[in-house]
């Protein structure tokens, strides 16, 4: 056990962690030359196309140092703020972390928040400066930033390059020398922490775990503590590029277990595995329940695919523990699910994965956050969906979630970023210089305001230099109202939204204009209205497609033409009473992208 090292990689998005992980695998000869490809641990097509890591990946490497053989378990983690839950799970399974900072960009917000998470778990941090081969690298400045953040010595920082392989040997030596071996007793009762799971159509559910105490053998009878279910361990093993079966694994190791589990609800990430005959006294702690930030309805385009969508979401949830969902129904869209996501990128990724991995075509409604509604009787309701709002006369107050946002930016862009944050109803908490010309600005902002396009706008204002991170802060009373969209006097519940009173009129107007462009013309006039309660605040009309009924009248009396037009008008009126308006999928998507 003294020769095992478990470590993860922490970095901001695009700081080159997947490329550096490739070099580590290459240097330790974990990969044959024929298996080599860029970002080998990013095995989803989606990850390669976007150049981001979405899933944590575990892989075991063997390394020889001072004539001793060491086993290194690497868990590669995502860097985007929407996937911070993946990072928290990986950190729970490690004793050390590589902190990778891009030498051309310096420390960014996500690096700091993940670093604090690692320090809370008492991980040994090894600072690495990546991309040293690039001409625009600023090693001295970035080193100063790392020293200020970590309080480490200058000689502890390793200079490396994922592209050229510079510094990779030093990193491997530092992992062996600086990261402590896992603590644990191989003879104690079995305790394993599940940190991930995947669905395999042939073998059932495969759970990835780290053994804290004890030893597990093939065919042992094991129990999952949270669900209380018992299984036979049909196959256990370690994770190389493929799975390698082993007869037994003992404390400190990272591996997988296949026990023929078919039902996804039976495997919970963060659960503890133990033996039935000699159970451990208590489950492993230090594992938090995930809190979704953004809620949206996901509906199948074909209504009879509802059960298929449920099965697809359950399988996806195994692989993505931060996705939550519950059934709901809508007048416009039929039966579907109310899903909780960590952010807009997470929502986009889930939609893409449903389409690619499960061939599910879905419609997603306008995303919103959860609000606390206090009624005049003193009850508190949690509302995720505008249609769940009680009557306006019964509401005492509505509280919305606020976040504490930290933006790190070069000081040239301060003015524009301030304007953006204040325009989103942000309140400045403090601002301070971190080093040189880099500043950290801390704002309290309503989560509902940053859900849509805040991240994109921040990136374009700061030419990509500003980085952004946030955590939930508290709930505060706010003047929120429900904005309804009516088509021919009937409310379309999938387009309604809860919004701050100051922004309601402009948003209502823009939504009406957008829908006018996208809804196809019918045989009758369609009125599109935005309403707050009974008050109409904006209206657009889609004109009817009309046949020229007076074409056959040459000359003659005006009353003949009028008679034909009146007859047509009456027909249109009848049609309007029985006709229904289809809202195309494009319209839902366009409303999401209104800036």
């Amino acid at each position: 056990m003294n020769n095992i090292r478990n470590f993860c990689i922490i970095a901001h998005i695009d700081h080159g962690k997947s490329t550096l992980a490739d070099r580590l695998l290459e240097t330790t000869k974990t990969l044959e030359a024929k298996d080599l490809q860029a970002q080998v641990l990013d095995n989803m097509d989606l990850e390669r196309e976007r150049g981001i890591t979405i899933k944590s990946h575990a892989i075991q490497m063997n390394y020889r140092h001072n004539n001793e053989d060491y086993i290194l378990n690497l868990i590669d983690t995502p860097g985007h703020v929407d996937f911070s839950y993946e990072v928290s799970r990986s950190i729970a399974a490690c004793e050390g972390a590589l902190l990778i900072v891009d030498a051309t960009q310096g420390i960014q917000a996500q690096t700091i928040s993940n670093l604090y998470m690692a320090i809370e778990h008492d991980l040994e941090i090894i600072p690495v400066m990546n991309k040293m081969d690039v001409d625009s690298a600023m090693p001295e400045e970035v080193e100063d930033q790392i020293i200020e953040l970590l309080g480490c010595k200058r000689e502890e920082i390793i200079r490396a390059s994922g592209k050229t392989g510079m510094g990779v040997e030093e990193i491997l030596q530092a992992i062996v020398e600086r990261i402590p071996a896992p603590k644990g007793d191989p003879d104690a009762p079995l305790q394993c922490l599940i940190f991930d799971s995947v669905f395999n159509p042939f073998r059932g559910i495969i759970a990835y775990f780290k053994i804290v105490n004890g030893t597990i053998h093939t065919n042992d009878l094991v129990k999952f503590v949270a669900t209380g279910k018992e299984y036979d361990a049909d196959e256990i093993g370690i994770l190389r590029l493929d799975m390698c079966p082993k007869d037994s694994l003992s404390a400190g190791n990272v591996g997988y277990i296949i026990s023929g589990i078919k039902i996804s609800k039976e495997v919970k990430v963060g659960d503890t595995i133990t033996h039935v005959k000699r159970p451990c006294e208590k489950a492993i702690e230090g594992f938090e329940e995930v809190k979704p930030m953004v809620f949206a309805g996901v509906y199948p385009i074909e209504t009879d695919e509802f059960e298929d969508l449920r099965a697809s979401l359950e399988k996806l949830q195994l692989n993505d523990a931060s996705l939550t969902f519950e059934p709901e129904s809508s007048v416009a869209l039929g039966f579907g699910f109310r899903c909780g996501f960590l952010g807009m990128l997470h929502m986009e990724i889930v939609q893409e994965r449903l389409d690619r991995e499960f061939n599910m075509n879905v419609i997603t409604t306008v995303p919103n956050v959860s609000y606390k509604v206090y009624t005049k009787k003193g009850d508190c309701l949690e509302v995720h969906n505008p249609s769940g709002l009680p009557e306006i006369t019964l509401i005492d107050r509505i509280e919305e979630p606020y976040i504490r946002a930290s933006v790190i930016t070069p000081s040239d862009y301060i003015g524009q970023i301030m304007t953006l944050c204040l325009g989103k109803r942000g309140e400045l908490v403090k601002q301070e210089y971190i080093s040189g010309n880099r500043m950290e600005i801390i704002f309290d902002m309503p989560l509902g305001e940053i859900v849509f396009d805040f991240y994109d706008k921040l990136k374009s204002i700061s030419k990509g230099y500003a980085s952004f991170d946030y955590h939930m802060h508290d709930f505060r009373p706010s003047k929120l109202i429900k904005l309804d969209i009516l088509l021919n006097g009937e409310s379309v519940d999938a387009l309604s939204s809860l919004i701050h009173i100051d922004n309601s009129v402009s948003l209502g107007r823009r939504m009406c204009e957008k829908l006018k462009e996208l809804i196809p013309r019918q045989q009758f006039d369609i009125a599109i209205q935005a309403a707050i309660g009974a008050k109409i605040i904006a209206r657009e009309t889609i004109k009817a497609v009309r046949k020229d009924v007076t074409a056959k009248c040459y000359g003659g009396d005006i009353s003949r033409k009028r008679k034909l037009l009146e007859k047509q008008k009456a027909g249109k009126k009848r049609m309007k009473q029985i006709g229904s308006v289809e809202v195309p999928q494009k319209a839902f998507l366009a409303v999401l992208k209104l800036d």
Side-chain angles (χ1 to χ4, degrees):
M1 208 168 110
N2 291 336
N3 289 11
I4 298 176
R5 300 286 183 271
N6 298 322
F7 68 99
C8 59
I9 296 183
I10 294 177
H12 191 80
I13 189 167
D14 257 355
H15 279 202
K17 57 197 164 303
S18 297
T19 312
L20 202 61
D22 290 353
R23 294 293 84 75
L24 293 173
L25 296 176
E26 206 179 319
T27 312
T28 54
K29 308 263 188 311
T30 308
L31 290 183
E32 300 296 323
K34 66 177 192 300
D35 293 330
L36 269 180
Q37 54 172 353
Q39 283 98 26
V40 75
L41 291 179
D42 291 350
N43 51 13
M44 257 189 266
D45 294 342
L46 205 58
E47 292 182 310
R48 298 181 166 281
E49 282 167 28
R50 291 176 173 238
I52 56 176
T53 306
I54 295 168
K55 284 293 303 159
S56 303
H57 295 279
I59 192 162
Q60 190 174 94
M61 305 180 278
N62 293 11
Y63 178 61
R64 197 166 176 77
H65 179 63
N66 293 346
N67 294 329
E68 278 194 65
D69 286 327
Y70 288 88
I71 294 173
L72 311 181
N73 289 312
L74 156 69
I75 302 178
D76 178 29
T77 61
H80 194 281
V81 60
D82 275 11
F83 303 113
S84 52
Y85 183 64
E86 288 280 334
V87 183
S88 78
R89 294 194 303 187
S90 308
I91 286 175
C94 291
E95 283 82 36
L98 293 183
L99 175 75
I100 294 184
V101 180
D102 186 334
T104 61
Q105 292 186 330
I107 284 176
Q108 296 193 291
Q110 190 61 28
T111 320
I112 294 180
S113 71
N114 287 348
L115 176 71
Y116 287 155
M117 211 187 296
I119 291 172
E120 272 170 34
H121 282 80
D122 287 337
L123 266 60
E124 179 63 40
I125 312 285
I126 299 176
V128 177
M129 260 198 316
N130 196 15
K131 304 197 186 178
M132 285 299 294
D133 58 313
V134 182
D135 297 337
S136 57
M138 324 169 281
E140 277 73 27
E141 280 177 45
V142 177
E143 266 182 4
D144 293 341
Q145 291 175 20
I146 296 174
I147 291 167
E148 205 163 313
L149 183 68
L150 275 180
C152 61
K153 298 189 180 73
R154 195 173 286 275
E155 56 272 15
E156 287 176 10
I157 301 170
I158 300 171
R159 297 186 175 199
S161 159
K163 200 174 242 177
T164 61
M166 157 190 171
V168 172
E169 267 304 328
E170 289 173 54
I171 293 174
L172 287 165
Q173 284 169 19
I175 290 168
V176 170
E177 288 163 9
R178 294 194 217 167
I179 294 178
K183 300 179 183 68
D185 179 1
D187 304 321
L190 181 70
Q191 258 189 328
C192 309
L193 172 76
I194 301 179
F195 66 86
D196 205 356
S197 55
V198 292
F199 181 79
N200 181 316
F202 307 109
R203 317 265 334 240
I205 291 160
I206 302 170
Y208 298 157
F209 60 79
K210 179 205 175 183
I211 306 178
V212 178
N213 284 312
T215 306
I216 184 170
H217 301 271
T218 309
N219 296 327
D220 278 358
L221 186 62
V222 295
K223 175 177 163 186
F224 286 41
V225 177
T227 55
K229 302 265 194 215
E230 298 176 4
Y231 306 100
D232 285 314
D234 299 336
E235 183 184 307
I236 57 171
I238 56 170
L239 298 153
R240 305 296 285 242
L241 252 192
D242 299 315
M243 297 185 287
C244 303
K246 295 274 185 215
D247 292 331
S248 71
L249 288 172
S250 63
N253 256 308
V254 174
Y256 69 90
I257 177 170
I258 300 177
S259 45
I261 305 172
K262 297 285 185 293
I263 303 166
S264 51
K265 286 197 180 72
E266 292 178 17
V267 177
K268 288 192 162 55
V269 168
D271 196 357
T272 305
I273 307 176
T274 187
H275 279 132
V276 173
K277 288 181 180 160
R278 228 183 118 203
C280 57
E281 288 173 12
K282 61 180 199 304
I284 300 167
E285 295 169 1
F287 209 86
E288 54 193 90
E289 272 294 309
V290 57
K291 293 183 186 66
M293 300 281 186
V294 177
F295 295 87
V298 174
Y299 294 86
I301 288 178
E302 301 294 329
T303 40
D304 53 357
E305 288 181 355
F306 175 72
E307 282 304 324
D308 298 348
L309 180 60
R310 183 196 295 268
S312 306
L313 281 168
E314 280 178 359
K315 288 174 188 170
L316 195 59
Q317 196 178 28
L318 278 177
N319 203 241
D320 183 350
S322 41
L323 172 69
T324 59
F325 62 91
E326 56 187 43
E328 71 162 3
S329 63
S330 145
V331 184
L333 301 168
F335 290 102
F337 293 94
R338 188 100 200 133
C339 297
F341 307 98
L342 293 179
M344 292 299 275
L345 178 71
H346 186 210
M347 180 172 129
E348 244 178 83
I349 296 292
V350 167
Q351 239 178 311
E352 281 270 316
R353 286 183 70 183
L354 281 173
D355 183 27
R356 290 185 186 203
E357 294 171 31
F358 306 101
N359 285 333
M360 293 299 307
N361 273 338
V362 294
I363 293 179
T364 313
T365 62
V366 180
N368 49 33
V369 297
S370 62
Y371 298 93
K372 285 184 178 169
V373 179
Y374 290 88
T375 60
K376 290 187 174 162
K377 290 179 182 169
D379 301 336
C380 172
L381 311 169
E382 196 168 280
V383 175
H384 300 317
N385 191 345
S387 59
L389 210 61
E391 283 295 314
I392 207 153
T393 49
L394 305 175
I395 296 174
D396 178 36
R397 67 182 192 281
I398 303 179
E399 293 190 353
E400 64 175 333
Y402 266 68
I403 56 162
R404 176 65 55 93
S406 142
V407 178
I408 294 181
T409 170
S411 47
D412 318 351
Y413 307 112
I414 289 280
Q416 291 158 294
I417 289 175
M418 291 270 201
T419 311
L420 173 68
C421 294
L422 295 171
K424 297 276 186 190
R425 297 193 283 131
E427 297 167 14
L428 182 64
V429 179
K430 66 170 184 184
Q431 58 185 60
E432 57 188 7
Y433 277 93
I434 300 178
S435 65
N437 73 335
R438 293 163 68 78
M439 285 193 76
E440 180 175 29
I441 317 174
I442 293 179
F443 273 95
D444 281 350
M445 294 169 75
L447 180 62
E449 292 282 342
I450 66 157
V451 162
F452 285 102
D453 54 355
F454 178 77
Y455 195 65
D456 300 342
K457 281 189 173 169
L458 180 71
K459 284 290 179 204
S460 54
I461 283 176
S462 66
K463 303 190 171 56
Y465 282 112
S467 59
F468 167 67
D469 185 52
Y470 63 87
H471 57 265
M472 280 303 296
H473 192 52
D474 55 7
F475 277 79
R476 300 185 190 179
S478 191
K479 286 186 179 171
L480 295 170
I481 44 155
K482 183 181 171 194
L483 179 70
D484 284 313
I485 299 293
L486 312 175
L487 293 181
N488 275 348
E490 287 194 16
S491 166
V492 183
D493 57 352
L495 289 174
S496 59
S497 53
L498 271 175
I499 187 164
H500 193 266
I501 197 158
D502 298 348
N503 307 339
S504 56
V505 176
S506 62
L507 182 79
R509 200 163 285 152
R510 288 208 306 272
M511 279 172 94
C512 290
E513 285 164 9
K514 198 76 191 166
L515 288 169
K516 183 182 178 182
E517 293 168 23
L518 292 163
I519 294 176
R521 286 171 73 184
Q522 308 278 346
Q523 293 284 344
F524 49 89
D525 283 4
I526 304 171
I528 305 171
Q529 294 164 313
I532 297 170
K535 183 183 171 194
I536 304 292
I537 54 169
R539 170 177 172 140
E540 294 285 336
T541 308
I542 299 176
K543 284 293 176 198
V545 183
R546 296 181 45 182
K547 181 180 169 190
D548 186 1
V549 287
T550 57
K552 61 185 181 194
C553 297
Y554 292 106
D557 190 1
I558 184 71
S559 58
R560 285 182 62 200
K561 288 186 179 178
R562 191 162 291 140
K563 185 177 156 193
L564 288 167
L565 287 169
E566 288 296 329
K567 192 174 163 191
Q568 184 190 32
K569 193 170 160 189
K572 296 279 183 211
K573 194 172 169 187
R574 269 201 312 277
M575 244 186 228
K576 187 169 183 170
Q577 284 166 353
I578 57 166
S580 66
V581 185
E582 286 290 311
V583 183
Q585 163 74 4
K586 275 194 313 212
F588 288 108
L589 294 176
V591 170
L592 299 191
K593 295 197 166 58
L594 276 180
D595 72 327

